[in-house]
């Protein structure tokens, strides 16, 4: 969640770090800070945006070729200047930035207080750097050894970078449960929470693994484990391009990413599907198709928007593969005693591949003998590496906090996996299989057509921008779309919204409906069409204001609804990839009209890397 940037080399460190922190703003944060070696180890930090930190830095002597920077999302201690990172050690000879939570910080803090340490902040991070320095002084050891010894006693999750007043070429980084990537340049190194601050300078990176410590000193990178075992750095090539993380003329990243969906879905399909030859191949799961086809059960683990994609996948797998599916909130999965068997297939869905709850849940499932399939967007991410197999969505970088193109790409990948398994299992006819391939190939064009409704949807948004509540209702495959539409509106416009199966309306939510209540129906023509028409009539009878997403050419619902949005006809199981597009646009335009920060909504972070 927090953003981490570190640099050592020949460039102006302050410029590299500030630019990097701006690249990481999408992760969500409440304060920002930077530490530089310049006539001392100097820390500058401010509550608020990176722009406020920049203003604070004006007029200060900042020349340095080594530094660390941080954007904080508060866990321990309220957002303020004091709790912002970086934090000093007791002597102020060390500075640290940290993403994660040190769970045993309270007992460590008391131990240090008993030794005479005093603390200026409420954070667990300040305790950690004091603890590291205390170990270094008591053991008379090098800083990297003190870091290693400290991390053997730390409970929790962390991604840390440390610099020292006494060694002007040294950066030490370590991770457990929070991502860190190291960019390898020519006589320079970059450290960041993800690759976005790095790609401007190098396409060669090392993804640090859990329990690994990186020591950068004198233009050399060495990696060892917390158990002091040396590791050989594995350098990978970044596939990301700089233009992918720029707005490209759009007002917001969210709108750009909504409009990129025809391309991102096409990229997801490219090289995998060819309807003319009947070819559908996902190399990442090839070795496990038989095991999937013979599975007694599939468990899907995810959070937020990815959980909604998992719900759609549940419908798909049960429809075509006839395999029982359970969709679990990863955040709840390991806090009960779940029944996981060796034959279970577990799908972990995550845009970032770094979601802490999902990572913890799959580790639990792995420990019980389950096979893990990762469905992620970010190449080299922790979930991708922790999985036995899986598929990347290839949606490209998603900067907007509210996930859009990641959702439709996840649905596209899950659809392909489902069809491969169904064909292997013999639960889908050849004719139906071919029909589905053709439908998938046509999806990008249908999404493109749906995006042309933008102006109409903007007008609808203007009508409802001052609403205080929304209901979203759908049936069957469109029920998860109702949940996703409500989530999008909540996330970026701060309007209370709830999604329900349309039939559940009579079991409580109908009490809320009056002439002020907008009710969004996902009412495309499918096997539940007649039922949802009845639900619309029930809302109209109570003077609810109906906005309906319908299939092109619908003659019935437009006579009942106050507003209708017509989307192209799509096979029922794939309709969520298209029917969600108007809901993304509706939430976007309402948020803009309300003056909300669309790309960085309050209290939210792009990647939830702490529990």
């Amino acid at each position: 969640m927090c953003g981490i940037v570190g640099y050592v080399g020949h460039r102006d460190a302050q410029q590299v770090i500030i630019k990097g922190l701006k690249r990481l703003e999408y992760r969500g944060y409440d304060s920002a800070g930077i530490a530089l070696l310049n006539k001392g180890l100097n820390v500058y930090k401010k509550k608020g945006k990176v722009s406020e930190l920049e203003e604070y830095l004006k007029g200060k002597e900042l020349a340095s070729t080594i530094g660390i920077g941080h954007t904080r999302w508060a866990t321990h201690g309220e957002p303020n200047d004091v709790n912002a990172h970086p934090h000093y050690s007791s002597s102020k000879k060390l500075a640290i930035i940290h993403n994660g939570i040190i769970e045993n910080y309270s007992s460590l803090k008391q131990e240090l207080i008993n030794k005479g340490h005093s603390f200026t902040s409420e954070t667990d991070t300040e305790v950690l750097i004091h603890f590291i320095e205390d170990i270094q002084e008591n053991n008379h050891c090098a800083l990297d050894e003190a870091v290693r010894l400290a991390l053997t006693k730390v409970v929790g999750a962390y991604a840390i970078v440390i610099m020292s007043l006494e060694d002007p070429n040294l950066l030490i980084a370590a991770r457990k449960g929070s991502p860190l990537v190291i960019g390898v340049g020519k006589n320079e190194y970059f450290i960041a929470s993800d690759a976005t601050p790095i790609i401007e300078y190098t396409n060669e990176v090392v993804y640090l693994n859990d329990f690994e410590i990186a020591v950068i000193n004198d233009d050399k990178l060495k990696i060892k484990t917390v158990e002091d075992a040396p590791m050989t750095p594995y350098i990978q090539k970044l596939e990301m391009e700089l233009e992918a993380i720029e707005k490209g003329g759009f007002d917001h990243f969210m709108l750009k990413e909504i409009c990129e969906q025809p391309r991102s879905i096409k990229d997801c399909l490219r090289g995998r599907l060819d309807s003319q030859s009947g070819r559908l191949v996902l190399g990442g799961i090839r070795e496990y198709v038989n095991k999937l086809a013979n599975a007694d059960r599939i468990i899907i683990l995810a959070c937020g928007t990815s959980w909604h994609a998992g719900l759609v996948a549940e419908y798909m797998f049960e429809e075509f593969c006839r395999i029982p599916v359970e969709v679990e909130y990863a955040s709840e999965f390991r806090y009960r005693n779940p029944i996981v068997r060796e034959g279970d297939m577990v799908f972990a869905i995550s845009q970032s591949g770094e979601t802490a709850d999902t990572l913890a849940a799959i580790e639990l499932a792995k420990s019980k003998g389950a096979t893990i399939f990762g469905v992620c967007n970010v190449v080299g991410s922790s979930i991708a590496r922790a999985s036995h197999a899986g598929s990347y969505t290839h949606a490209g970088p998603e900067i907007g906090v509210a996930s859009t193109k990641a959702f439709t790409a996840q649905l596209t990948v899950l659809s392909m996996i489902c069809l491969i398994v169904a064909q292997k299992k013999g639960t889908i006819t050849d004719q139906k299989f071919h029909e589905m391939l053709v439908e998938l190939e046509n999806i990008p064009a249908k999404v493109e057509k749906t995006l042309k409704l933008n102006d109409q949807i903007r007008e609808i948004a203007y009508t409802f921008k001052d609403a205080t509540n929304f209901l979203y209702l759908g049936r069957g495959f469109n029920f998860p779309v109702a949940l996703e539409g409500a989530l999008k509106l909540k996330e970026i416009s701060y309007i209370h919204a709830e999604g329900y199966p349309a039939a559940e309306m009579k079991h409580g939510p109908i009490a809320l409906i009056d002439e002020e209540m907008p009710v969004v129906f996902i009412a495309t023509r499918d096997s539940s069409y007649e039922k949802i028409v009845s639900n619309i009539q029930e809302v109209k009878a109570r003077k609810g204001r109906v906005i309906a997403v319908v299939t092109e050419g619908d003659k019935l619902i437009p006579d009942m609804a106050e507003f209708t949005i017509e989307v192209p006809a799509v096979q029922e199981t794939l309709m969520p990839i298209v029917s969600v597009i108007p809901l993304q646009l509706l939430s976007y335009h309402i948020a803009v009209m309300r003056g909300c920060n669309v790309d960085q909504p309050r209290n939210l972070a792009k990647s939830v890397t702490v529990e």
Side-chain angles (χ1 to χ4, degrees):
M1 295 173 76
C2 305
I4 282 175
V5 181
Y7 175 75
V8 58
H10 51 81
R11 302 176 194 266
D12 183 331
Q14 179 262 152
Q15 290 187 7
V16 172
I17 293 166
I18 291 294
K19 185 180 287 187
L21 292 180
K22 289 180 176 179
R23 299 261 192 236
L24 292 173
E25 285 189 301
Y26 75 95
R27 295 174 69 90
Y29 68 104
D30 48 55
S31 56
I34 188 171
L36 300 166
L37 267 177
N38 182 337
K39 298 178 183 178
L41 179 54
N42 299 306
V43 170
Y44 310 98
K45 49 190 184 176
K46 292 293 290 182
K47 177 184 175 182
K49 297 297 184 184
V50 175
S51 57
E52 293 172 71
L53 174 63
E54 278 189 292
E55 190 66 29
Y56 177 62
L57 292 174
K58 286 182 178 177
K60 294 181 170 58
E61 179 57 55
L62 304 172
S64 178
T65 57
I66 183 171
I68 54 178
H70 189 265
T71 50
R72 177 178 186 251
W73 190 89
T75 53
H76 295 78
E78 66 180 69
N80 58 33
D81 292 356
V82 174
N83 289 328
H85 297 210
H87 286 285
Y88 280 123
S89 64
S90 182
S91 69
K92 294 194 174 182
K93 291 181 179 180
L94 304 177
I96 188 173
I97 51 178
H98 167 221
N99 183 14
I101 294 176
I102 306 302
E103 294 175 11
N104 61 334
Y105 89 101
S106 183
S107 59
L108 293 174
K109 185 174 185 177
Q110 189 57 54
E111 179 184 329
L112 291 165
I113 289 172
N114 293 341
K115 290 182 176 183
H117 288 252
S118 60
F119 297 90
T120 59
S121 78
E122 303 168 81
T123 67
D124 52 341
T125 305
E126 188 185 8
V127 173
L128 178 57
I129 194 62
H130 277 240
F131 184 50
I132 290 169
E133 184 173 69
D134 186 74
I135 288 175
Q136 185 182 19
E137 291 176 349
N138 289 330
N139 289 272
H140 306 289
C141 60
L143 179 57
D144 61 300
E145 177 64 6
V147 171
R148 187 187 73 79
L149 292 171
L151 295 182
T152 63
K153 300 179 185 299
V154 161
V155 178
Y158 54 80
I160 59 173
V161 186
I162 297 168
M163 59 189 296
S164 168
L165 174 64
E166 297 181 344
D167 198 332
N169 298 304
L170 174 69
L171 288 178
I172 298 174
R175 73 156 281 179
K176 177 197 168 191
S178 288
L180 269 186
V181 58
I182 300 170
V184 181
K186 187 174 182 180
N187 300 319
E188 61 181 346
Y189 290 90
F190 308 81
I191 303 173
S193 300
D194 63 41
T196 53
I198 293 173
I199 59 171
E200 185 171 344
Y201 309 102
T202 180
N203 66 349
E204 294 189 339
V205 297
V206 174
Y207 292 99
L208 213 57
N209 293 311
D210 278 353
F211 303 106
E212 288 185 346
I213 301 168
V215 181
I216 300 169
N217 200 8
D218 295 326
D219 297 332
K220 295 182 178 63
L221 168 64
K222 295 181 180 179
I223 297 177
K224 60 183 176 180
T225 69
V226 171
E227 300 303 321
D228 209 22
M231 305 294 291
T232 301
Y234 174 57
I235 298 176
Q236 301 184 46
K237 294 284 187 183
L238 278 177
E239 297 179 3
M240 189 186 303
E241 295 180 0
L242 184 61
E243 67 179 26
I245 60 170
E246 302 288 355
K247 286 182 183 175
F250 287 89
D251 290 337
H252 299 92
F253 280 111
M254 183 181 178
L255 182 59
K256 177 193 178 199
E257 288 153 9
I258 290 171
C259 294
E260 283 177 342
Q261 287 174 108
R263 187 179 71 186
S264 59
I265 296 169
K266 194 175 292 184
D267 288 343
C268 187
L269 296 170
R270 183 175 289 114
R272 293 166 162 175
L273 184 152
D274 181 358
S275 65
Q276 288 190 339
S277 64
R279 178 180 177 272
L280 180 57
V281 177
L282 287 172
I285 68 163
R286 185 182 290 119
E287 295 178 17
Y288 289 86
V289 172
N290 286 336
K291 198 169 184 179
L292 268 169
N294 293 314
D296 294 324
R297 179 176 65 155
I298 292 172
I299 301 171
I300 297 176
L301 300 172
C303 299
T305 287
S306 296
W307 187 76
H308 297 155
L311 288 178
V312 177
E314 176 185 20
Y315 284 51
M316 289 180 181
F317 276 93
E318 292 190 347
E319 172 77 16
F320 290 125
C321 304
R322 309 306 299 154
I323 300 173
V325 179
E326 295 178 17
V327 184
E328 300 272 4
Y329 281 114
S331 55
E332 284 294 314
F333 184 72
R334 73 187 182 110
Y335 290 107
R336 62 176 206 272
N337 189 16
I339 298 171
V340 181
R341 306 180 184 94
E342 286 192 13
D344 287 338
M345 303 288 111
V346 174
F347 283 78
I349 309 174
S350 168
Q351 188 281 137
S352 67
E354 302 292 349
T355 310
D357 288 314
T358 307
L359 267 168
I362 66 174
E363 290 301 336
L364 174 61
K366 281 174 73 175
S367 73
K368 295 177 179 289
T371 302
I372 311 298
F373 293 85
V375 177
C376 303
N377 188 33
V378 179
V379 175
S381 57
S382 297
I383 290 175
R385 286 179 285 155
S387 302
H388 295 103
S391 295
Y392 288 115
T393 56
H394 298 307
E398 188 176 65
I399 306 299
V401 167
S403 190
T404 52
K405 66 177 181 175
F407 177 72
T408 51
Q410 287 167 352
L411 293 184
T412 303
V413 163
L414 291 164
S415 300
M416 290 190 285
I417 295 173
C418 175
L419 291 173
I420 288 169
V421 174
Q423 185 185 47
K424 183 69 178 180
K425 195 172 182 183
T427 50
I428 188 171
T429 65
D430 290 343
Q431 180 181 347
K432 186 65 176 178
F433 180 79
H434 184 260
E435 287 175 3
M436 293 297 294
L437 297 193
V438 172
E439 276 283 70
L440 270 170
E441 274 191 337
N442 289 333
I443 285 286
K446 293 183 178 182
V447 170
E448 185 80 59
K449 187 174 183 180
T450 305
L451 288 168
K452 293 178 180 177
L453 303 171
N454 183 54
D455 290 346
Q456 176 197 350
I457 295 168
R458 186 190 294 113
E459 291 178 8
I460 297 171
Y462 185 80
T463 301
F464 294 103
K465 65 182 174 62
D466 297 319
T468 55
N469 295 282
F470 265 75
L471 278 179
Y472 286 73
L473 303 174
R475 282 179 176 260
F477 286 89
N478 279 322
F479 157 53
V481 177
L483 296 177
E484 176 62 10
L487 177 62
K488 284 290 142 306
L489 191 69
K490 281 184 280 195
E491 284 180 313
I492 62 170
S493 74
Y494 317 140
I495 295 173
H496 174 255
E498 296 297 336
Y500 281 92
E504 284 296 300
M505 180 183 63
K506 295 189 291 292
H507 295 272
I510 198 168
L512 298 170
I513 294 172
D514 58 21
E515 62 274 8
E516 300 298 323
M517 173 67 80
V519 184
V520 180
F521 281 92
I522 302 91
T524 52
R525 189 171 287 279
D526 56 26
S527 56
S528 302
Y529 180 76
E530 286 76 14
K531 296 292 185 183
I532 208 159
V533 167
S534 297
N535 297 138
I536 292 172
Q537 290 172 329
E538 289 165 345
V539 169
K540 286 295 292 179
R542 288 155 182 84
K543 303 188 186 308
R545 304 189 69 180
V546 175
I547 306 163
V549 178
V550 302
T551 305
E552 273 181 339
D554 190 304
K555 302 298 183 186
L556 183 58
I557 293 177
D559 289 337
M560 294 185 283
E562 184 175 353
F563 298 96
T564 54
I565 302 167
E566 293 192 5
V567 300
V570 180
Q571 201 278 338
E572 183 174 356
T573 57
L574 300 177
M575 178 54 86
I577 302 175
V578 173
S579 61
V580 76
I581 305 297
L583 308 188
Q584 294 172 347
L585 288 168
L586 181 66
S587 64
Y588 169 77
H589 288 301
I590 288 176
V592 170
M593 291 171 186
R594 290 168 67 91
C596 299
N597 189 338
V598 172
D599 288 331
Q600 299 169 38
R602 68 189 183 203
N603 303 329
L604 294 178
K606 183 63 179 173
S607 303
V608 183
T609 57
V610 296
E611 293 183 63

